Amino acid sequence: MTENTQTPSSPDSELPTAYTPADVEGKLYERWVERGYFTADPASEKPPYTIVIPPPNVTGSLHLGHAFQHTLMDALTRRKRMQGYESLWLPGMDHAGIATQNKVEQQLAEEGKSRHDLGREAFVERVWQWKEEYGGKILGQMRRLGDGVDWSRERFTMDEGLSKAVQTIFKKLFDDGLIYRAERIINWCPRCLTAISDIEVEYQEDAGELVSIKYGEGEDTLVVATTRAETMLGDTAVAVHPDDERYKHLVGKLIKLPLTDRSIPVVADTHVDPEFGTGCVKVTPAHDPNDFAIGQRHNLPNMTIMDEHGVITVHGPFLGLDRYEARSAVVGALRQQGRIVAEKRPYLHSVGHCSRCSTTVEPRLSLQWWVKVETLAKAAGDAVRDGRVAIHPVEMEKRYFDWVDNLNDWCISRQLWWGHRIPVWYGPDGEVVCLGPDDEAPTGEGWTQDTDVLDTWFSSGLWPFSTLGWPEKTPDLAKFYSTDVLVTGHDIIFFWVARMMMFGLYAMDGEVPFKTIALTGLVRDERGKKMSKSFGNVVDPLDWMDKYGSDAVRFTLAKGANPGTDVPIGEDWVQASSKFANKIWNATRFALMNGATIEGELPPAEQLSATDRWILSRLNKTIAQVDAYYDDFQFSKLSEALYHFAWDEVFDWYVELSKTTFFAGGEQAKVSARVLGEVLDVMLRLLHPVVPFVTETLWTTLTGRESLVIADWPTDSGFRDDAAEAEIGSIQTLTKEVRRFRKEQGLDDKQKVPARLDLTGTVLAAHEAAIRQVLRLQPEGDSFSATATLPVAGATVALDLSGTIDVEAERKRLTKDLGAAEKEKAQAEAKLGNEAFLAKAPDNVVDKIKGRLAKAEADIARIQAQLETLPAA
């Protein structure tokens, strides 16, 4: 069925009695890396398969979200490598501008210093030192998980090559008129002291206050409502809808702005909703994006009233107050003047917070660098619409289009010191020069470089091609771009996916950065609750790996991975996956002890027993099923299929049914040993991408060959045997029915019971020994008394339960069950015999009642048969 031409090694001839992951995983991983299994060769003639890792922050450590996505990426690349692809999974880290700078600033604060005490150059050097000492913790943890990444190609978004790529694309965008500098409203974090993009703002319901303020005097008064009373100090207009009859007489007039010596105009603008509140809106162009747009349309002045720390910079009584202190003071002053006409407290409303530090974001007018995204975003949308890039699951396309089709220009400058510095220089006479990586910086009096750095997502947006050597035309770039699959969470479509699409298409002449976007959900706790430190439900995956092994964590995550949906996970599930690994281990030990082998060709079908033909037929169907699920990114379904094939069909049925053959010995035992070897060989290959450690250990022992990492992926031979599947299906039906009956009698599955089997005229006749073995049925003996007779699958099983059950109690129980079944039957027949009911009832309701009737009739026949088998009182 499969070939493997690797050079045989010399594995241990025997497996330990128990599987201990800690004794296996670390050694195996280092062996894989040392032998270069994960190192991709651009000169190879094999077809390429490429995945770039979503670069984790240099400040980060492995969490369950990482472990989840890494498991899926590792499974994909391991399988493709086994299928004969030159498989590259490229690792690396993101410099994480704000997060990393915050880490080092915290260190300095503990020393009583700030970055300004060191100066820019010394501070950046300090960050590099921190990165070398503390950064990259997650890379070692990735090894624990078993990530089959090509460590020889590890990249960092601030390394020399990627820095060159950043400067190159900035220059290209600048020269093409797609990067510009302008004063706009941005999201400002008063804690991080930098601009942040829209997608780095997290909104949550905060309890604030809503105050309604009277502007103007006498007949020329308007009432506006606001949650940010302090910003009225920067108002430069009040806006009403042009069709609002209530205020038409005021449009164009000046009204008095309370607490100030200024008068401001009333303007008419269609942005205002006349049905909301009073229909009047205060306009603060320097501190609100919508107000800024109104201000642009009406040529209103922009009046900045706060500094970068959120401290008021205007109007004497409030000068120097923090924004929250000013809010309270302004409301108090307005109240004294009788200008507060209504107050609502607390008032729940959506407020933006910095995703890095949770500080409330302040909209602020600021001079920043921007990317003009209109043409770039259109290209990113077209690539999905015309089928060059597939989004999986397809339902996520709408979310993607909603974003790229409505994308605003991207603010890319950050007021930080750690990051890629903007390569623009300003001259003494107003000159602006953008430098490429090979350009010399201008010299002379008065030339200075822009002090800002680029948004972290700017450099990570280049990741699929910058990591392969762009802008140079490298062999890696020629071989491995475009990448095949991007596996990432649906929560960063906006942060990262759209950026890579825009930059990849722009820089690589329309060639997409990846062919498929496979979106995953988020990992949650076993109750479906978001994991959060405040909830106390955050799990360190390393703790579970220490306790249960990496394979158990990986298999649990893969089993929960339905495309695009969140993944609940609990320790009980990891423990269950650990039991599965142990089951594979123990079953393989049994197989090896009974001569399981892969040596020699499989015997022809006519030499195989029905049990052998059945398992080979099921094996090939499983291969086809698993391949289809992989191609559709259905990790949960492929994991479930492998679990049930391995545990249910191979271990619980094939091994059990074959025990009598193995115990008997002879030629048929040799045939079944070869079949079992084949099944285990293929099953371990199929499982390997998801659970690499235990499968590698077992497979090399079974086969004597080098490594599963470089073994061939199984292929469906096309062998099917429906007759054998039906035959074994009859055994399964009989077995399940007898086990069900035994359970009803309170008998353990392993308890031996004397039995007489009448299998004459059925396909079961050839399997009596196996059936007795599986069901623990002893020969009938001289004193046999049939106390229960079960007709099933065309056969009859008579059991001697004398001495094992209370016959009278069993008769009472069965009589009670019979009464309930007869009542159910009568009720169903009454409804189905009611013409009025049938005329009104939907088809599905009628079908449901018919099903109840059929079940009741089957139950009655079964119970009556059981009653008849009971001995007389």
Side-chain angles (χ1 to χ4, degrees):
M1 294 183 55
T2 57
E3 293 182 1
N4 189 311
T5 57
Q6 279 85 46
T7 304
S9 61
S10 299
D12 295 333
S13 58
E14 293 184 1
L15 291 168
T17 55
Y19 176 52
T20 307
D23 293 343
V24 170
E25 294 177 349
K27 296 174 186 176
L28 265 187
Y29 188 83
E30 292 310 315
R31 186 190 307 164
W32 291 335
V33 173
E34 288 167 7
R35 293 181 178 179
Y37 293 156
F38 306 138
T39 304
D41 180 4
S44 168
E45 294 183 359
K46 296 178 182 178
Y49 183 82
T50 315
I51 293 180
V52 290
I53 206 165
N57 286 354
V58 67
T59 59
S61 60
L62 190 73
H63 57 65
L64 275 173
H66 289 128
F68 171 51
Q69 291 181 358
H70 288 203
T71 294
L72 306 188
M73 286 183 276
D74 196 30
L76 289 171
T77 49
R78 283 178 183 270
R79 172 176 176 256
K80 284 295 182 180
R81 188 178 293 112
M82 294 172 75
Q83 286 182 314
Y85 287 78
E86 194 61 27
S87 193
L88 169 61
W89 185 19
L90 193 147
M93 291 186 298
D94 190 280
H95 66 279
I98 296 176
T100 308
Q101 179 158 320
N102 281 349
K103 287 277 188 184
V104 179
E105 288 197 86
Q106 288 167 12
Q107 271 193 349
L108 289 173
E110 292 170 3
E111 300 169 13
K113 299 177 184 176
S114 75
R115 59 176 161 138
H116 301 285
D117 294 324
L118 272 67
R120 182 170 193 141
E121 187 175 335
F123 176 78
V124 171
E125 178 58 32
R126 177 73 176 258
V127 180
W128 276 108
Q129 291 172 7
W130 181 93
K131 185 259 180 186
E132 293 304 317
E133 187 172 354
Y134 300 105
K137 177 183 178 183
I138 193 171
L139 299 179
Q141 296 168 336
M142 285 164 56
R143 302 170 92 93
R144 280 288 315 276
L145 187 65
D147 284 5
V149 295
D150 184 347
W151 292 109
S152 70
R153 287 177 167 82
E154 181 190 336
R155 303 305 300 267
F156 179 55
T157 50
M158 288 280 285
D159 69 29
E160 184 178 349
L162 268 63
S163 296
K164 181 178 182 179
V166 167
Q167 197 168 350
T168 299
I169 202 163
F170 188 101
K171 170 72 171 170
K172 179 174 169 59
L173 289 162
F174 183 90
D175 291 347
D176 288 347
L178 296 176
I179 280 185
Y180 63 95
R181 196 180 190 213
E183 195 173 46
R184 299 271 186 87
I185 291 285
I186 49 91
N187 303 298
W188 180 265
C189 177
R191 159 63 183 78
C192 298
L193 297 179
T194 181
I196 59 176
S197 65
D198 291 343
I199 53 179
E200 292 171 301
V201 178
E202 294 179 348
Y203 288 89
Q204 64 187 47
E205 291 290 312
D206 283 2
E209 61 179 349
L210 180 69
V211 293
S212 297
I213 309 168
K214 182 171 67 176
Y215 282 27
E217 301 290 349
E219 294 182 359
D220 295 344
T221 61
L222 296 168
V223 175
V224 300
T226 181
T227 58
R228 305 176 68 228
E230 73 281 5
T231 62
M232 67 160 292
L233 302 174
D235 285 357
T236 57
V238 173
V240 297
H241 194 277
D243 298 331
D244 195 331
E245 295 294 335
R246 294 172 294 177
Y247 306 117
K248 276 193 173 182
H249 67 288
L250 291 177
V251 174
K253 285 189 176 183
L254 295 175
I255 61 171
K256 177 71 174 176
L257 178 65
L259 305 183
T260 72
D261 57 2
R262 295 188 293 118
S263 292
I264 58 176
V266 177
V267 300
D269 196 282
T270 55
H271 169 74
V272 180
D273 180 1
E275 302 298 323
F276 184 77
T278 63
C280 304
V281 175
K282 61 189 286 298
V283 182
T284 320
H287 293 277
D288 184 274
N290 293 321
D291 293 3
F292 178 78
I294 293 173
Q296 293 287 96
R297 290 193 287 272
H298 298 278
N299 296 314
L300 300 175
N302 301 317
M303 186 173 177
T304 300
I305 63 161
M306 289 182 214
D307 67 11
E308 60 186 6
H309 298 280
V311 172
I312 302 299
T313 58
V314 298
H315 202 70
F318 311 106
L319 183 66
L321 294 180
D322 170 85
R323 53 184 169 162
Y324 300 112
E325 296 172 333
R327 182 174 303 170
S328 178
V330 166
V331 171
L334 289 168
R335 190 182 292 112
Q336 284 185 344
Q337 292 188 7
R339 289 189 172 274
I340 301 293
V341 298
E343 296 180 68
K344 185 175 182 181
R345 186 184 300 111
Y347 177 73
L348 287 177
H349 61 130
S350 182
V351 177
H353 295 260
C354 173
S355 63
R356 306 292 182 185
C357 68
S358 298
T359 301
T360 300
V361 168
E362 189 64 44
R364 186 169 187 253
L365 188 64
S366 182
L367 185 63
Q368 301 284 346
W369 285 94
W370 304 80
V371 172
K372 190 181 294 184
V373 301
E374 183 179 1
T375 58
L376 300 173
K378 183 180 184 303
D382 289 346
V384 175
R385 287 189 169 96
D386 64 24
R388 284 176 289 156
V389 177
I391 292 180
H392 190 87
V394 70
E395 302 85 60
M396 287 287 178
E397 280 188 2
K398 182 180 183 302
R399 193 172 181 186
Y400 175 79
F401 291 136
D402 285 347
W403 179 255
V404 297
D405 292 347
N406 299 285
L407 201 56
N408 296 319
D409 285 358
W410 173 18
C411 177
I412 56 171
S413 45
R414 299 291 181 269
Q415 289 64 57
L416 303 170
W417 287 356
W418 172 244
H420 296 281
R421 195 162 174 183
I422 289 176
V424 171
W425 292 71
Y426 306 107
D429 299 317
E431 302 96 331
V432 178
V433 177
C434 179
L435 302 182
D438 300 321
D439 297 333
E440 292 289 333
T443 57
E445 188 71 27
W447 282 93
T448 58
Q449 186 177 359
D450 195 298
T451 57
D452 289 350
V453 301
L454 288 163
D455 178 10
T456 296
W457 297 102
F458 190 95
S459 54
S460 60
L462 314 180
W463 191 253
F465 53 95
S466 63
T467 53
L468 297 172
W470 188 91
E472 308 301 327
K473 294 182 178 180
T474 64
D476 276 3
L477 193 64
K479 177 74 173 179
F480 297 111
Y481 189 90
S482 60
T483 69
D484 288 88
V485 183
L486 173 71
V487 178
T488 191
H490 61 65
D491 57 323
I492 60 169
I493 292 178
F494 322 126
F495 286 88
W496 192 43
V497 178
R499 310 301 192 205
M500 288 188 290
M501 286 285 281
M502 290 191 297
F503 281 167
L505 292 162
Y506 173 74
M508 299 299 293
D509 300 321
E511 192 174 359
V512 297
F514 23 75
K515 303 175 185 72
T516 300
I517 302 168
L519 295 170
T520 69
L522 308 178
V523 179
R524 296 179 176 272
D525 71 13
E526 64 267 33
R527 295 179 180 84
K529 193 173 184 179
K530 180 181 178 181
M531 287 191 174
S532 166
K533 290 181 180 178
S534 60
F535 296 152
N537 62 349
V538 173
V539 173
D540 184 345
L542 294 173
D543 291 341
W544 282 350
M545 289 184 211
D546 289 342
K547 196 170 181 180
Y548 302 109
S550 298
D551 282 335
V553 174
R554 290 170 61 113
F555 194 67
T556 305
L557 290 165
K559 279 185 74 176
N562 288 302
T565 60
D566 290 347
V567 183
I569 184 172
E571 185 169 0
D572 288 350
W573 305 341
V574 182
Q575 187 176 22
S577 295
S578 175
K579 290 179 180 177
F580 178 53
N582 287 322
K583 183 76 171 180
I584 300 171
W585 184 273
N586 292 331
T588 304
R589 286 188 73 246
F590 170 85
L592 291 171
M593 288 188 292
N594 285 278
T597 180
I598 64 164
E599 298 303 321
E601 294 294 322
L602 273 176
E606 57 269 20
Q607 294 181 19
L608 302 178
S609 69
T611 309
D612 293 335
R613 297 196 307 276
W614 164 74
I615 197 62
L616 292 175
S617 182
R618 292 297 308 134
L619 177 66
N620 278 282
K621 286 183 178 179
T622 301
I623 294 171
Q625 191 177 43
V626 168
D627 278 334
Y629 286 146
Y630 261 116
D631 293 341
D632 198 34
F633 303 99
Q634 297 279 359
F635 293 98
S636 177
K637 290 182 178 179
L638 73 88
S639 299
E640 287 286 351
L642 287 170
Y643 177 88
H644 290 297
F645 175 73
W647 194 305
D648 298 345
E649 298 186 305
V650 178
F651 305 148
D652 280 359
W653 286 107
Y654 181 74
V655 169
E656 287 299 319
L657 291 173
S658 300
K659 279 182 178 178
T660 53
T661 302
F662 289 132
F663 296 161
E667 286 303 312
Q668 191 57 52
K670 293 179 181 178
V671 170
S672 292
R674 178 64 186 90
V675 171
L676 181 55
E678 182 77 9
V679 170
L680 289 175
D681 172 19
V682 174
M683 184 193 76
L684 292 170
R685 294 175 196 238
L686 292 172
L687 281 164
H688 176 73
V690 179
V691 284
F693 294 108
V694 67
T695 53
E696 172 84 336
T697 306
L698 295 173
W699 187 84
T700 53
T701 303
L702 171 71
T703 66
R705 294 176 178 171
E706 184 179 342
S707 175
L708 257 179
V709 181
I710 53 173
D712 296 331
W713 181 253
T715 55
D716 176 8
S717 70
F719 178 81
R720 302 289 190 275
D721 194 323
D722 293 337
E725 291 198 40
E727 189 169 330
I728 303 306
S730 296
I731 298 176
Q732 293 172 324
T733 300
L734 182 143
T735 302
K736 290 174 183 176
E737 182 64 21
V738 173
R739 282 177 173 168
R740 185 193 62 77
F741 176 77
R742 289 172 59 130
K743 185 176 181 181
E744 288 177 348
Q745 312 307 314
L747 299 178
D748 186 89
D749 282 347
K750 295 180 180 179
Q751 185 173 344
K752 294 182 179 181
V753 177
R756 177 188 298 140
L757 305 184
D758 182 3
L759 310 177
T760 307
T762 72
V763 294
L764 301 170
H767 300 281
E768 179 170 349
I771 292 170
R772 286 187 178 276
Q773 166 68 31
V774 170
L775 287 171
R776 306 296 191 269
L777 301 180
Q778 294 177 316
E780 51 194 276
D782 296 335
S783 59
F784 179 82
S785 174
T787 58
T789 303
L790 304 176
V792 59
T796 303
V797 179
L799 303 174
D800 183 355
L801 303 178
S802 56
T804 62
I805 64 169
D806 183 336
V807 174
E808 189 56 36
E810 179 63 11
R811 187 182 302 280
K812 287 181 180 179
R813 186 187 69 79
L814 289 172
T815 302
K816 182 180 178 182
D817 290 348
L818 180 61
E822 288 173 337
K823 183 179 179 181
E824 176 73 5
K825 178 187 176 186
Q827 290 175 341
E829 286 177 335
K831 286 189 175 182
L832 293 174
N834 185 333
E835 295 296 335
F837 170 78
L838 293 176
K840 295 179 181 179
D843 289 345
N844 65 315
V845 173
V846 175
D847 289 342
K848 187 175 181 181
I849 294 170
K850 287 179 179 178
R852 285 169 50 192
L853 176 60
K855 182 179 183 302
E857 289 174 337
D859 286 344
I860 289 169
R862 174 179 56 81
I863 295 167
Q864 286 175 336
Q866 288 179 245
L867 282 168
E868 290 172 4
T869 64
L870 290 176

